[in-house]
Amino acid sequence: MGIVAFVTNDGFILSSAPNFRDLGGHRTAQGGTVRHGLLYRSDALHTISEPDLPVYNGLGIRQLVDLRTAHERESLPDITPEGAAYTAVSVQGPTAAGGNFSEALLDRERARAMFADGAADRFMFDVYRELVTDPVALTGYRDLVERAAEGPTALVFHCSAGKDRTGWGAALLLTLLDVDRAAVVADYLASNARQENTDKWMRLLAEHSGLEWDELIPMTRVRAEYLESSFAHIDEVYGSFDGYVSDALAVSPATVAALRARMVA
């Protein structure tokens, strides 16, 4: 018999992937509740430890959606849970803001130009705008929504830190499920207490870059302003969130209805 786990947004399910979380439990505008155990969001999944494997394999995950770039996937391949299908779904092209930024940090001159003297903060706002306009991102997030709607579930989607690319994916899905914006933002901000793994490799990159840690902090944490900038950019470019979904993502009303039917009790 597999492991049955009721997991919450404030619980640490996997100590070796601290930002692995269940999106279930949120209330919707219609009075429903997002079902537990169907949608998980996570940070890197190459880090799953031997002690965590029984829990990881026992969650009933049937789809793993990897939002990382090709370079990240090849460098640090995922540990796929037993019985799950692995799919790579890029949401950043190689020239997008944030695409393979770790390579830039290995080049001191490039790193200083991109991230020093407050540039890291501007960089993050660029990332969040591109996540809702870049053609690769639009195709990738449409794929994520359709996979969540069509199943099989449970599904886990992730990037490296589980906060930006995954953060927008979670915000998109929860908003489609009619979860209140304040709850969406709260779920997004919960990543800040779960960056232990990310901080380790970011500090190593900081040493190579020649930058001070304080200069890179904007890239290591989430801020409500980052997420709100994505929603604001959607309004500027597409007129509304509904316009973004229908016109930019090209997600059909039938897919949204199927997502809600599957995910909301």
Side-chain angles (χ1 to χ4, degrees):
M1 179 180 296
I3 292 173
V4 177
F6 252 52
V7 287
T8 62
N9 288 309
D10 58 355
F12 285 75
I13 304 166
L14 303 171
S15 60
S16 53
N19 211 6
F20 187 105
R21 295 188 265 143
D22 189 345
L23 283 180
H26 292 290
R27 298 288 290 174
T28 70
Q30 291 75 29
T33 302
V34 179
R35 290 186 171 99
H36 283 287
L38 294 182
L39 276 177
Y40 296 96
R41 55 174 294 174
S42 187
D43 47 350
L45 292 174
H46 68 279
T47 60
I48 304 299
S49 66
E50 194 72 29
D52 277 341
L53 280 175
V55 174
Y56 185 52
N57 289 328
L59 291 171
I61 294 169
R62 293 295 171 262
Q63 290 193 77
L64 189 161
V65 178
D66 187 346
L67 303 179
R68 297 177 299 166
T69 63
H71 172 75
E72 291 171 298
R73 297 192 301 265
E74 292 163 7
S75 300
L76 299 167
D78 279 342
I79 297 172
T80 303
E82 292 175 359
Y86 171 89
T87 305
V89 177
S90 293
V91 295
Q92 286 177 322
T95 61
N100 299 327
F101 78 91
S102 59
E103 292 182 356
L105 286 171
L106 297 176
D107 181 329
R108 292 197 169 207
E109 185 174 339
R110 188 178 170 199
R112 179 149 294 280
M114 289 180 67
F115 307 121
D117 302 320
D121 195 52
R122 295 189 293 273
F123 171 84
M124 291 305 298
F125 283 106
D126 288 343
V127 167
Y128 277 81
R129 284 189 291 268
E130 289 199 2
L131 287 177
V132 298
T133 54
D134 182 81
V136 174
L138 295 176
T139 299
Y141 285 119
R142 178 177 66 245
D143 195 355
L144 173 63
V145 171
E146 290 175 345
R147 288 176 179 279
E150 295 168 8
T153 42
L155 177 152
V156 59
F157 61 99
H158 81 99
C159 53
S160 292
K163 65 183 182 70
D164 302 314
R165 291 166 289 187
T166 298
W168 176 249
L172 168 61
L173 288 165
L174 291 175
T175 301
L176 285 171
L177 295 174
D178 276 340
V179 172
D180 178 76
R181 177 71 63 82
V184 171
V185 174
D187 177 86
Y188 168 78
L189 292 175
S191 287
N192 281 336
R194 299 165 176 270
Q195 294 303 305
E196 179 182 353
N197 284 358
T198 304
D199 283 355
K200 291 176 183 176
W201 58 263
M202 281 295 292
R203 285 186 180 277
L204 289 174
L205 288 172
E207 291 176 10
H208 285 289
S209 72
L211 298 174
E212 296 297 325
W213 177 246
D214 286 350
E215 292 181 290
L216 295 179
I217 282 178
M219 299 164 60
T220 69
R221 295 295 182 268
V222 291
R223 290 167 44 188
E225 293 88 348
Y226 295 159
L227 187 64
E228 293 293 357
S229 73
S230 290
F231 283 112
H233 200 49
I234 281 173
D235 289 342
E236 292 169 5
V237 176
Y238 310 112
S240 67
F241 182 79
D242 288 345
Y244 162 70
V245 172
S246 62
D247 300 336
L249 292 182
V251 170
S252 70
T255 296
V256 175
L259 178 72
R260 292 173 179 171
R262 178 180 290 272
M263 298 298 167
V264 178

